[in-house]
Amino acid sequence: FVTNYFSKNLFEKSEGKSVGLSYLKERDFREGTIKKFKLGYSIDKWEDYSQHALDNGYKKDVLVGTGLSIDKDDKLLDRFRGRVIFPIHNLTGRVIGFGGRILSSEKSKAKYLNSPESDIYNKSKVLYGIFFARNAIAKLDNCFLVEGYTDVISLHQSGIENVVSSSGTSLTIDQIKLISRYTPNITMLYDGDPAGIKASFRGIDLILEQGMNVKIVLFPEGEDPDSYARSHTTSETENFIVSTAVDFIKFKTGLLKKETEGDPT
């Protein structure tokens, strides 16, 4: 119900079109892709979708319980005001939570905001894009793991569909087990920031502990999977991933070697 409301805002309301849709078009997302992932927009008002849901018979405790609304002084306030909305689907394609990206440059607000944990949404057990990726992961016997929503969507749009994201959380054992239902092979796609890579070592160790195979792809400086997929053809992106993927041992050794270059000890 709320997913459809967000989608309508994006395509039919003037604020949604001028703010949300123009942002997504700037990211080169085609209308078919926007509709496939059910992207939407939340109007920048305090009570817009909370009131809309109440008017349509939804109970206050459901809105608060799913994290859509915040109960403040007996008023329901919208959690995702003025944000582009990324619905999070479970394995069977049902929407169980949302991610929202703010478009203003207000420093006091988080760039991304996710649904809180609820009876239906447990972020440590969910991978963004798994519903759209599972068949391709099984068919290609490999899962590409990226960091953000837009990385998943851009790769999908360019025809590379075996891709999921851990949606802003550190990789968990439950997420790894979810991938292992379809393939024992994971290729992690990173923008080339060594600090970020080092922080991800724990997740990589968890994958290895589950007896799975890990390869790493580092994108050129200043690029990430999203930007690379938008500025290259599908075959160029695929060739880059295949030709630069290295197994974890080689990757870690290379990184440690770089750190000790010029060190006399």
Side-chain angles (χ1 to χ4, degrees):
F1 170 79
V2 180
T3 304
N4 289 339
Y5 160 85
F6 287 144
S7 180
K8 256 188 166 174
N9 285 347
L10 187 73
F11 286 107
E12 295 175 18
K13 297 272 177 79
S14 57
E15 184 187 323
K17 286 192 280 191
S18 64
V19 181
L21 198 55
S22 63
Y23 164 77
L24 293 171
K25 294 268 173 82
E26 272 169 32
R27 303 295 300 243
D28 298 327
F29 291 158
R30 295 190 291 270
E31 197 164 301
T33 305
I34 292 168
K35 287 183 171 170
K36 175 183 176 181
F37 284 88
K38 296 189 169 151
L39 305 184
Y41 180 74
S42 176
I43 300 295
D44 195 6
K45 288 181 185 166
W46 285 103
E47 304 168 48
D48 207 75
Y49 62 76
S50 298
Q51 196 55 55
H52 178 65
L54 292 170
D55 291 346
N56 280 272
Y58 285 90
K59 299 276 192 292
K60 176 180 167 179
D61 59 343
V62 171
L63 291 167
V64 174
T66 53
L68 282 164
S69 304
I70 299 161
D71 189 356
K72 192 166 187 191
D73 302 328
D74 272 343
K75 265 189 156 182
L76 285 189
L77 305 182
D78 296 357
R79 182 179 294 276
F80 298 105
R81 296 182 306 282
R83 292 176 183 263
V84 167
I85 300 294
F86 298 83
I88 299 162
H89 299 77
N90 68 5
L91 264 182
T92 58
R94 293 190 71 126
V95 174
I96 53 171
F98 299 96
R101 188 197 194 284
I102 201 156
L103 300 179
S104 73
S105 54
E106 284 179 67
K107 293 279 185 279
S108 62
K109 292 184 177 174
K111 185 174 169 184
Y112 278 96
L113 185 66
N114 281 357
S115 290
E117 301 266 310
S118 71
D119 289 346
I120 57 168
Y121 176 57
N122 182 334
K123 63 184 175 189
S124 67
K125 296 185 176 183
V126 177
L127 288 159
Y128 180 74
I130 189 70
F131 171 66
F132 303 102
R134 55 190 183 154
N135 292 337
I137 292 169
K139 186 180 172 188
L140 298 167
D141 197 19
N142 195 358
C143 177
F144 293 155
L145 188 62
V146 295
E147 294 185 271
Y149 301 126
T150 54
D151 295 323
V152 171
I153 297 168
S154 285
L155 285 169
H156 256 269
Q157 183 167 272
S158 73
I160 299 167
E161 296 189 350
N162 55 323
V163 55
V164 297
S165 159
S166 59
S167 309
T169 64
S170 298
L171 196 62
T172 66
I173 287 179
D174 284 323
Q175 289 170 332
I176 296 162
K177 284 180 173 170
L178 190 53
I179 295 170
S180 73
R181 289 161 68 168
Y182 302 97
T183 181
N185 304 306
I186 294 178
T187 303
M188 304 180 94
L189 311 185
Y190 282 109
D191 49 14
D193 170 17
I197 310 300
K198 284 197 83 173
S200 70
F201 277 179
R202 187 187 151 273
I204 295 168
D205 288 340
L206 286 178
I207 295 171
L208 295 170
E209 280 167 23
Q210 295 302 309
M212 296 175 74
N213 310 308
V214 194
K215 288 193 171 180
I216 317 281
V217 170
L218 277 191
F219 282 82
E221 201 167 324
E223 294 262 35
D224 58 21
D226 170 29
S227 65
Y228 197 93
R230 285 191 282 136
S231 58
H232 293 79
T233 65
T234 302
S235 59
E236 283 171 345
T237 307
E238 286 175 334
N239 290 340
F240 175 79
I241 292 170
V242 169
S243 63
T244 57
V246 293
D247 71 57
F248 177 57
I249 304 299
K250 263 190 197 158
F251 174 76
K252 199 169 186 179
T253 310
L255 212 59
L256 295 172
K257 256 190 192 164
K258 255 188 200 166
E259 276 185 9
T260 54
E261 267 172 19
D263 186 345
T265 59

